[in-house]
Amino acid sequence: MHLTIAHISPIMSVIAGVLILIMPRLLNLIVAIFLILNGLIGMGLLKWLHF
């Protein structure tokens, strides 16, 4: 399986959803990290990942 930048956002969504179900007290932190990473990926600032 070949991962690209387009695959990262859905994978992050699933991970964030599972973490929120397991630890609802961390909702603010999980959502903040998800939004920051999603924004960085969208702006192309994480091209160093070479996916």
Side-chain angles (χ1 to χ4, degrees):
M1 181 175 167
H2 190 291
L3 290 176
T4 64
I5 293 294
H7 294 106
I8 293 176
S9 184
I11 292 170
M12 284 189 336
S13 298
V14 170
I15 292 171
V18 170
L19 286 175
I20 290 169
L21 283 174
I22 294 172
M23 300 174 283
R25 290 185 179 188
L26 295 178
L27 175 64
N28 292 338
L29 181 64
I30 293 170
V31 170
I33 291 171
F34 173 77
L35 290 174
I36 290 169
L37 288 176
N38 204 9
L40 291 174
I41 291 168
M43 292 189 305
L45 297 178
L46 294 181
K47 289 184 180 181
W48 56 271
L49 292 174
H50 300 294
F51 283 117

